[in-house]
Amino acid sequence: MTNFFENIPVRPRRSLLSVPAINVRALEKIRDLDCDGVILDLEDSVAPDVKGAARENLGRLFSDAPFVGREIIIRINPLSTPDGMEDLKLVLSCRPDAVLLPKVEQPADIHDVADLLAEADAPQGLKIWAMIETPLGVLNAASIADAAHTPDGRLAAFVLGLNDLRKETRVPSVPGRTYLVPWMMQVVLAARAYGLDVIDSVSNDFRDIAAFGTECEQGHAMGFDGKMLIHPAQIEPANRHFGPVEAAVAEARAIIDAFAKPESVELNVINMNGRMIERLHVSQAERLVAMADIIAQRKAQKT
Ligand code: COA
Ligand code: MG
């Protein structure tokens, strides 16, 4: 498939909708939804007896028209299971943007898949994403992220999975995710230390959009790039809360312009309306503007 984002340095990952690969009706909808990415799930949302049928659905989906302007990720079963190997074969033939590995707990989980992809001559654009959703996964987040530094460097993002983590740790689900926050921040820090994107966990209560908005705000404030979603109703609020807001984009453009002025060439700090702006803020501003431009470009393509 054509990779829309191949030559684009930043990728919006505000909203990543999980779609059970067994649900044909839901699969039919994804081309019309305004999410940044779709996670086609062969793992937890597909019952063991219908995994084969789910793979067939995805085979058919990829043989239709190409997906334009969004990332397509396939979540596979663990490679230690027979389904995992079958799923990986499907990934190699469908060539999505990324394969999402469940319950990653150690660097070898990444290296094994990277080796299999390299052996199969998978295109370099086919990335690996890792679910961090077990106590060991959180504890080893930094060494797993370090696996990004393999020669073919396929690891691109972490996706936090709090449903599994709550189950394993017996931490109850409460608004504000109070006692999970330290672990969540550990995953964010590990991802950033090694240049990965990091996606916040799903919210199960898809009818409570107000609570969902609050959780998006929290995830954004914690540094996550976006959120894994389970229902189309969650797309708009996720795009809004994780997206660059207009005022921030305008400020970013002002920062870029201010440092581009001839009188700023030799300055590393400037005064912008009573606030100190450092040259280091320029790359941050450029990233934000690039993100806003990509989102606007995608919107224009659709209309
Ligand atoms: N992707 C695409 N479309 C979806 C969707 C999804 N994840 N979830 C719901 N829809 C569609 C439904 O097909 C339905 O369409 P229709 O009106 O044409 O029939 C519409 O949105 C409204 O759905 P609704 O009736 O509100 O919910 P539901 O009972 O059909 O589905 C869930 C609820 C939770 C079962 C479903 O949203 C789902 O399976 N989500 C993903 C779960 C998942 O991937 N889990 C693994 C990761 S944690
Ligand atoms: Mg899980």
Side-chain angles (χ1 to χ4, degrees):
M1 68 184 273
T2 345
N3 188 338
F4 175 80
F5 296 103
E6 198 123 59
N7 300 312
I8 296 178
V10 291
R11 293 167 188 225
R13 288 175 175 151
R14 303 163 299 171
S15 49
L16 296 160
L17 178 66
S18 175
V19 186
I22 197 62
N23 186 341
V24 176
R25 197 176 165 84
L27 291 175
E28 278 168 1
K29 295 208 154 79
I30 59 180
R31 288 177 208 272
D32 300 324
L33 297 172
D34 190 28
C35 47
D36 290 334
V38 175
I39 297 174
L40 302 165
D41 186 30
L42 290 164
E43 197 223 5
D44 279 350
S45 69
V46 179
D49 289 351
V50 291
K51 299 271 189 199
R55 279 189 291 271
E56 281 170 24
N57 290 343
L58 295 194
R60 271 194 300 277
L61 185 74
F62 277 83
S63 63
D64 287 350
F67 299 94
V68 179
R70 72 194 48 195
E71 284 189 291
I72 303 292
I73 301 105
I74 297 183
R75 184 166 81 166
I76 65 172
N77 289 281
L79 274 198
S80 53
T81 65
D83 277 308
M85 286 311 289
E86 288 302 311
D87 294 349
L88 197 65
K89 278 189 212 157
L90 180 82
V91 165
L92 285 166
S93 70
C94 292
R95 300 190 167 192
D97 295 287
V99 53
L100 175 57
L101 311 179
K103 302 178 181 71
V104 170
E105 298 198 312
Q106 52 190 344
D109 297 340
I110 306 294
H111 293 310
D112 289 351
V113 175
D115 289 348
L116 288 168
L117 292 180
E119 272 166 35
D121 270 333
Q124 197 52 39
L126 203 171
K127 299 295 181 192
I128 298 174
W129 290 19
M131 296 284 316
I132 301 295
E133 51 183 344
T134 63
L136 262 184
V138 176
L139 285 170
N140 293 337
S143 57
I144 296 166
D146 189 21
H149 293 176
T150 54
D152 56 0
R154 288 185 194 266
L155 184 62
F158 278 166
V159 182
L160 187 70
L162 292 183
N163 282 333
D164 277 286
L165 193 63
R166 285 190 191 102
K167 174 179 155 245
E168 298 294 321
T169 58
R170 299 182 210 143
V171 172
S173 176
V174 295
R177 306 187 283 188
T178 318
Y179 297 104
L180 296 168
V181 165
W183 301 336
M184 296 169 74
M185 289 310 300
Q186 183 168 326
V187 175
V188 171
L189 196 64
R192 296 295 179 232
Y194 294 94
L196 303 181
D197 273 1
V198 58
I199 310 300
D200 195 0
S201 176
V202 296
S203 290
N204 299 334
D205 193 356
F206 60 85
R207 296 269 186 254
D208 191 344
I209 291 299
F212 179 74
T214 306
E215 204 170 281
C216 287
E217 255 174 42
Q218 183 201 29
H220 180 249
M222 291 172 77
F224 286 97
D225 294 293
K227 204 159 167 67
M228 183 169 172
L229 314 178
I230 52 166
H231 194 278
Q234 296 178 325
I235 296 173
E236 188 280 327
N239 284 347
R240 184 157 34 88
H241 287 286
F242 286 98
V245 294
E246 239 170 73
V249 177
E251 189 186 54
R253 291 192 200 279
I255 290 172
I256 296 167
D257 290 349
F259 272 102
K261 284 186 180 150
E263 61 267 31
S264 306
V265 167
E266 290 182 355
L267 297 178
N268 254 20
V269 285
I270 57 171
N271 170 353
M272 228 175 85
N273 308 322
R275 272 180 59 217
M276 179 190 74
I277 307 288
E278 295 185 70
R279 194 169 283 280
L280 63 89
H281 292 121
V282 174
S283 59
Q284 224 174 320
E286 284 170 346
R287 185 174 189 281
L288 197 78
V289 168
M291 189 76 85
D293 287 348
I294 292 165
I295 293 165
Q297 185 194 335
R298 203 180 63 190
K299 216 178 211 168
Q301 272 184 350
K302 279 196 174 166
T303 49

